[in-house]
Amino acid sequence: MGVKAGIVGLPNVGKSTLFNALTSAKALAANYPFATKEPNIGIVPVPDPRLDRLVELVKPKSTVPTTLEVVDIAGLIKGASQGEGLGNQFLGNIREVDAIIHVVRCFEDGQIVHVDGNIDPTRDRQIVETELILKDIETVEKRIEKLQKQAKDGTKESKLAFEEAKSILQHLSDEKPARTFEDVHGLVPEMMLLTAKPVLYVCNVDESSATSGNDFTRDFEAQLPDQSEVLIVCAGIEADITELDDPDDRQIFLDDLGLEEPGLNALIRSAYRLLDLITFFTAGEKEVRAWTVRKGSKAPKAAGVIHTDFEKGFIRAEVIKFADYDSMGSEQAIKEAGKMHVEGKEYVVEDGDVMHFRFNV
């Protein structure tokens, strides 16, 4: 399934450096505003030790991880909602993604200019979020005009929708993002509001702060709304790691820095969870593969991710829990232990399920 996470932030906070590290691509990372004009797009494999373990046990001919599409979007500046800088393009690109990875700069470097002159990650966050809210206000105001006409001679539902739209407008006017609004009639997703998208905040720090953060990150986290997820990453380190082809060299580099794993692994997994996604697996001699499905999806929907015919002709799903595969070591041992479950159309897929679908078209 196609899902996108967009990397956003002010110019020169490290977005493109992070994107290059994520995708091993070579998006332009330069020391001047708007070095990124057109969005760069990369497909990123989602690191999953469960996939590695299944490969170890099954020894397939090929392995296919699940992936996440990442978009590096041009830097935003104050006034973007009125078209300043590359504002219209920036906001249009955000509208096309499913989640936002918001990068804020949490390091001092006299060689890298900041568009507002000094380092203040909370101010930077608020600039971006204010511009998104202003654009959403514009969108809601236009919608209210239409709903008002419908409500005059319309149904009870149209009148309720009109009242709710006014409530959304007030919520946004109070500088609150749409994702925190209790949406009864489904207007928020219908209007494709920018601030309805889930957000992961990434504090880009210097090398010395990669393991424990710094005063900038601590102040930033202290002023964030509750339940906001924050990751601390040094984009420069991550870029260096991707240059090392030998896994042993990478591990030595990480050990020297006191890091358990590349920060990008945690970033990708966090973005994946942010989108409310889970992973299921198919495992056989030809291929072990990870697949993506929305949390709460039923078995036929998961089958359809593999092929639409699987969903149309779904009969049943044979399900093995990853923990059982891990402990017992083979499908045969699992069957003999009676641990393979046969599930029907109402089965809700769980993260880590190893599945085989029976279908008839």
Side-chain angles (χ1 to χ4, degrees), residues 63-327:
T63 306
V64 183
T66 192
T67 59
L68 181 68
E69 189 169 337
V70 179
V71 184
D72 177 24
I73 298 173
L76 173 147
I77 61 171
K78 191 180 295 184
S81 56
Q82 279 76 49
E84 291 293 329
L86 298 171
N88 291 330
Q89 180 177 327
F90 173 94
L91 296 167
N93 291 332
I94 291 181
R95 203 175 297 281
E96 296 174 1
V97 303
D98 302 291
I100 294 171
I101 299 171
H102 187 162
V103 182
V104 292
R105 177 173 165 179
C106 295
F107 65 90
E108 296 273 14
D109 188 333
Q111 301 302 310
I112 302 177
V113 298
H114 189 290
V115 290
D116 285 317
N118 67 313
I119 308 304
D120 186 340
T122 296
R123 176 205 58 206
D124 295 353
R125 171 182 67 83
Q126 291 171 341
I127 287 173
V128 173
E129 292 181 352
T130 296
E131 294 304 322
L132 298 185
I133 286 173
L134 289 172
K135 195 64 178 180
D136 279 350
I137 287 174
E138 180 184 315
T139 299
V140 175
E141 286 175 339
K142 290 178 180 178
R143 185 58 185 275
I144 284 175
E145 290 179 12
K146 294 181 180 179
L147 288 171
Q148 188 173 22
K149 294 175 183 178
Q150 296 172 6
K152 284 182 179 178
D153 302 310
T155 63
K156 181 180 178 181
E157 285 188 1
S158 64
K159 292 177 181 178
L160 289 172
F162 172 61
E163 292 301 320
E164 179 155 302
K166 290 196 296 182
S167 296
I168 295 171
L169 180 60
Q170 184 59 55
H171 186 84
L172 293 167
S173 298
D174 291 337
E175 300 183 355
K176 299 175 183 177
R179 60 182 166 273
T180 63
F181 180 79
E182 188 176 347
D183 187 18
V184 177
H185 297 284
L187 286 180
V188 168
E190 186 181 316
M191 289 189 282
M192 299 179 66
L193 298 181
L194 302 175
T195 61
K197 299 178 187 296
V199 179
L200 168 67
Y201 296 101
V202 176
C203 292
N204 184 20
V205 299
D206 54 42
E207 184 175 316
S208 64
S209 306
T211 56
S212 58
N214 55 33
D215 289 343
F216 290 127
T217 64
R218 285 184 282 275
D219 181 68
F220 179 78
E221 291 186 69
Q223 298 190 57
L224 271 178
D226 292 341
Q227 299 180 332
S228 296
E229 185 169 357
V230 180
L231 286 177
I232 295 173
V233 173
C234 175
I237 287 177
E238 302 303 323
D240 290 342
I241 291 172
T242 61
E243 296 295 325
L244 299 173
D245 296 325
D246 189 320
D248 291 336
D249 289 342
R250 287 190 177 194
Q251 191 57 54
I252 291 170
F253 185 65
L254 289 169
D255 291 342
D256 288 344
L257 293 167
L259 299 172
E260 293 184 5
E261 65 173 352
L264 296 182
N265 287 8
L267 193 159
I268 296 165
R269 288 195 297 266
S270 294
Y272 194 74
R273 290 195 305 271
L274 192 70
L275 288 160
D276 214 20
L277 303 175
I278 61 171
T279 299
F280 72 92
F281 303 94
T282 52
E285 291 181 0
K286 290 185 177 180
E287 178 185 82
V288 168
R289 183 164 183 165
W291 304 86
T292 296
V293 71
R294 294 280 183 192
K295 187 177 181 180
S297 295
K298 295 182 178 179
K301 180 63 69 175
V305 172
I306 299 174
H307 197 287
T308 53
D309 286 348
F310 285 25
E311 182 174 6
K312 292 175 183 176
F314 179 89
I315 299 173
R316 65 180 183 274
E318 295 168 354
V319 182
I320 299 170
K321 298 302 175 185
F322 172 78
D324 292 330
Y325 222 126
D326 183 34
S327 62

